[in-house]
Amino acid sequence: MAPLLEVRNLMTYFFPSGGLVKAIRGLEFTIDRGETLALVGESGCGKSMTALSLLRLVPDPGRIVEGEIVFNGEELRRMPEAEMRRIRGNQISMIFQEPMTSLNPVLRIGEQIAEVLRLHKGLDPKAAMEAAADLLRQVGIPAAEQRVREYPHQLSGGMRQRVVIAMALACDPKLLIADEPTTALDVTIQAQIMDLLKNLKDKRRMAMLLITHDLGVVAESADRVAIMNAGLIMEYAPVKTIFGDPRHPYTRGLLGCIPRLGEKRKRLAPIGGGAAAGAELPPGTTYLDTCPEPFAPRQNKLPPLVETEPGHFVRRWNV
């Protein structure tokens, strides 16, 4: 069976005045129906820009310059904008990092959820509001009939995140993109939100692209993991393989930063390389330039993503 989402050689560049930033430099990955793929990397590596590229929401002065995004058999890059609006929020939904910026502060909670249902499902105002209250109940918000009449500032951070999840799930999407869904929440609420997402995903049989830098969340929630740095995937494998048999130096570096109970260390081992951003940086300043053979560039060419064993891809040269 063909994957639900297939991304091939995706490149997203920004063209600020007098410069060039290669935010995404050739991503390739797939997501199967019902599975969770975690996209992991440090801040600035291009994770959120990957999500915006999939939805064709790249802000100016950026644009997708190359690649294919095949979703449910349709090539999204070639799709007219009117058709793309049919996909966004309907078949592909997204949870953004900060719920307070995702919600309109001057509209009641119920009106914001109902708007999605009227737009994509054609419900009348009364039916849309009833469905909005039902969605709030599904995401664990008590007194839903009262909450639909409240404004975002009247809710806690965890409650606002549940509202954003309800909006994302309103149209029963095939793919949910969750961009750092537990940012700025305390640890207890983080665990509740991740459990909620997992239960809703399993119940609705939807796929999820989980964008995070939290390897603990990855270990608990993901089926496969793509490790990203400077707009490139460095390693890509099932979650147990990534944690049990990492092959790329960058993956090993990330895992080496995790403190472990009962293990005494003199100091944390740093990850080499410079800035994560994919700008036109001088030679020797990116992480790949600091890698040993066979992971380092050759003659200004990047190593390809090679399948070293079934389902396990590593950015390296074949030797």
Side-chain angles (χ1 to χ4, degrees):
M1 181 183 293
L4 176 66
L5 177 72
E6 186 170 4
V7 178
R8 306 172 187 147
N9 197 35
L10 181 64
M11 299 184 186
T12 301
Y13 293 177
F14 281 77
F15 301 88
S17 179
L20 171 65
V21 177
K22 297 180 179 180
I24 299 174
R25 301 193 285 162
L27 287 192
E28 297 201 3
F29 62 86
T30 63
I31 302 179
D32 293 329
R33 299 167 195 276
E35 96 165 322
T36 296
L37 172 69
L39 191 59
V40 181
E42 59 195 280
S43 296
C45 73
K47 304 187 301 295
S48 295
M49 195 50 58
T50 299
L52 294 177
S53 298
L54 297 180
L55 292 169
R56 281 178 38 188
L57 292 174
V58 179
D60 288 333
R63 67 174 184 268
I64 300 173
V65 297
E66 193 171 326
E68 296 179 347
I69 305 167
V70 181
F71 173 74
N72 204 27
E74 297 183 279
E75 220 292 72
L76 300 187
R77 277 199 68 202
R78 298 194 183 97
M79 189 175 286
E81 179 58 28
E83 284 292 297
M84 193 64 207
R85 285 196 294 269
R86 175 181 59 84
I87 298 290
R88 283 192 213 107
N90 186 14
Q91 296 186 46
I92 305 177
S93 287
M94 183 166 175
I95 301 170
F96 293 90
Q97 287 189 30
E98 173 48 56
M100 203 58 189
T101 61
S102 303
L103 297 171
N104 190 325
V106 300
L107 285 181
R108 299 178 194 272
I109 294 298
E111 293 170 355
Q112 298 189 53
I113 301 174
E115 182 182 14
V116 178
L117 294 162
R118 291 197 304 269
L119 177 65
H120 290 294
K121 295 293 186 182
L123 299 185
D124 62 61
K126 182 180 178 182
M129 194 62 71
E130 290 173 353
D134 184 55
L135 282 163
L136 292 184
R137 283 190 288 269
Q138 290 182 43
V139 298
I141 294 181
E145 291 77 7
Q146 173 188 337
R147 297 296 187 182
V148 293
R149 296 191 295 271
E150 294 182 349
Y151 293 92
H153 72 271
Q154 295 177 272
L155 304 180
S156 67
M159 287 292 187
R160 286 196 295 265
Q161 190 65 295
R162 289 172 186 265
V163 171
V164 171
I165 292 170
M167 290 177 66
L169 299 181
C171 296
D172 201 18
K174 293 181 173 66
L175 173 64
L176 177 66
I177 301 173
D179 187 3
E180 301 280 7
T182 57
T183 296
L185 302 177
D186 65 54
V187 175
T188 303
I189 302 301
Q190 286 182 15
Q192 292 176 6
I193 293 297
M194 291 311 304
D195 285 344
L196 172 65
L197 282 174
K198 186 177 186 305
N199 291 336
L200 290 170
K201 183 189 85 72
D202 293 343
K203 182 179 179 181
R204 293 168 176 251
R205 298 179 181 177
M206 65 183 176
M208 181 162 67
L209 175 61
L210 174 62
I211 297 173
T212 184
H213 61 267
D214 189 330
L215 291 166
V217 168
V218 170
E220 291 289 331
S221 306
D223 299 304
R224 287 188 297 154
V225 186
I227 304 294
M228 191 171 180
N229 176 262
L232 292 164
I233 287 177
M234 300 293 173
E235 189 164 2
Y236 172 43
V239 63
K240 290 183 179 179
T241 303
I242 287 290
F243 282 90
D245 185 24
R247 300 287 180 86
H248 197 279
Y250 184 72
T251 309
R252 293 175 188 148
L254 282 181
L255 294 174
C257 293
I258 303 174
R260 290 173 172 81
L261 289 173
E263 182 179 318
K264 186 176 180 181
R265 298 185 187 179
K266 293 182 178 179
R267 60 185 297 172
L268 291 174
I271 297 177
E280 293 286 12
L281 299 172
T285 59
T286 65
Y287 179 80
L288 278 175
D289 293 322
T290 69
C291 286
E293 282 287 346
F295 305 100
R298 294 178 182 173
Q299 299 176 343
N300 295 322
K301 291 184 178 180
L302 295 170
L305 203 57
V306 175
E307 190 170 18
T308 57
E309 58 186 49
H312 191 170
F313 296 83
V314 183
R315 188 166 294 282
R316 56 168 294 166
W317 300 103
N318 272 322
V319 292

